[in-house]
Amino acid sequence: MSDSNQATFWEHLDELRSTIIHSLVAIMLFAVVAFVLKDQLFGIILAPRSSEFISYQLLGVEPFSLHLMNTGLTEQFMVHMRVAIYAGLLCATPYILYELFCFVAPGLYQNERQAATKIICSAYMMFVIGTLVCYFIVFPLTVRFLGTYQVSEEVENMLTIQSYVDTFISMSLVLGVVFELPVVCAILGSMGLINRQLMSRFRKHAIVAILLIAAIITPTTDAFTLLVVALPIWLLYEMSIFIVRHN
């Protein structure tokens, strides 16, 4: 390897290091802001535990309220830290994607840059939409069912803040990933790996798979809740067919 090639390699390595450092700094800055705004942050996260939440009001849910408890000395602080970091990562993601795009853009052709920009923006937008669907629909319905479910009136539910937050974060991530389906299908369609005929042929299989996914996401025995969760995912599949056909 010549000296010029070595210099080029180390220059790229330097740029990658700067990109990673800038991204970590952005995450930490947003996380610090989220940590400081504790009341507002947890006011949003804890809202679905009460029947006063807007989604319950629209669905006409009977009044209820879940009481959360803390069982560990450091549990509340660690939950606060974890939620702040997750919020910081979510808020900093557009900047992180911009930094990564700036790093790889010089090696792309103009049409590849345009395609990459479209994919990145679409992927982030769909992840945010999935997170909002989780917050306003899937998570509240799950919390109401599991939080109020009792095998006997003699057994009282005592939910911990850690369990509540862990469920919220995990379900938000799952729904965010599930909502990437149209983006993934668009990429596969542009590569010629799938087409509209193939997706239409397997529509019935996809509906069964969607119902299974919805049942896993919301482990309830309520058919209405299952359909409410499955409907957005089915619409995503139909949207994917439309995108592949016009890709």
Side-chain angles (χ1 to χ4, degrees):
M1 184 181 293
S2 63
D3 292 341
S4 60
N5 287 335
Q6 289 181 0
T8 302
F9 170 77
W10 289 113
E11 287 174 0
H12 283 302
L13 195 62
D14 239 8
E15 292 177 4
L16 178 60
R17 183 180 62 181
S18 298
T19 299
I20 294 174
I21 292 175
H22 292 164
S23 300
L24 291 176
V25 169
I27 293 173
M28 293 308 300
L29 287 177
F30 279 106
V32 169
V33 174
F35 189 87
V36 172
L37 299 176
K38 180 183 66 174
D39 294 338
Q40 293 83 351
L41 181 63
F42 279 90
I44 295 173
I45 293 176
L46 298 179
R49 70 185 179 89
S50 170
S51 57
E52 295 180 359
F53 188 57
I54 182 172
S55 299
Y56 300 134
Q57 296 292 327
L58 294 176
L59 294 174
V61 173
E62 295 180 359
F64 77 98
S65 181
L66 301 179
H67 298 283
L68 303 180
M69 60 181 296
N70 176 54
T71 59
L73 181 63
T74 62
E75 186 174 313
Q76 290 202 62
F77 178 76
M78 295 306 297
V79 166
H80 188 187
M81 289 283 292
R82 189 158 63 251
V83 171
I85 292 174
Y86 179 75
L89 177 61
L90 189 64
C91 294
T93 296
Y95 176 76
I96 295 173
L97 294 175
Y98 171 76
E99 284 284 338
L100 292 174
F101 178 78
C102 291
F103 175 73
V104 301
L108 302 176
Y109 294 108
Q110 182 63 30
N111 61 329
E112 293 175 335
R113 293 180 185 177
Q114 294 176 353
T117 302
K118 186 185 300 184
I119 291 173
I120 290 173
C121 293
S122 300
Y124 181 73
M125 180 182 68
M126 293 306 296
F127 186 88
V128 171
I129 293 175
T131 302
L132 292 176
V133 169
C134 175
Y135 178 74
F136 285 105
I137 300 177
V138 180
F139 183 68
L141 294 176
T142 303
V143 165
R144 178 184 175 275
F145 176 80
L146 296 179
T148 59
Y149 183 82
Q150 291 178 291
V151 295
S152 172
E153 293 183 358
E154 298 179 1
V155 181
E156 184 180 355
N157 288 329
M158 301 179 67
L159 307 178
T160 65
I161 179 66
Q162 181 174 349
S163 173
Y164 180 93
V165 170
D166 287 346
T167 303
F168 173 76
I169 293 178
S170 60
M171 291 187 69
S172 297
L173 290 174
V174 169
L175 263 295
V177 172
V178 168
F179 269 67
E180 298 297 335
L181 178 63
V183 180
V184 174
C185 289
I187 296 174
L188 295 177
S190 64
M191 296 172 63
L193 298 178
I194 59 174
N195 53 47
R196 180 181 63 85
Q197 292 77 11
L198 179 66
M199 296 185 68
S200 298
R201 188 188 315 155
F202 287 95
R203 179 182 275 112
K204 293 181 180 179
H205 301 80
I207 292 175
V208 174
I210 289 170
L211 290 174
L212 290 175
I213 294 173
I216 294 173
I217 295 175
T218 56
T220 73
T221 56
D222 184 3
F224 174 74
T225 302
L226 181 66
L227 292 177
V228 167
V229 175
L231 180 61
I233 305 178
W234 172 71
L235 291 176
L236 285 175
Y237 188 81
E238 296 298 329
M239 183 190 303
S240 300
I241 296 177
F242 177 82
I243 291 174
V244 170
R245 182 176 63 182
H246 291 84
N247 198 354

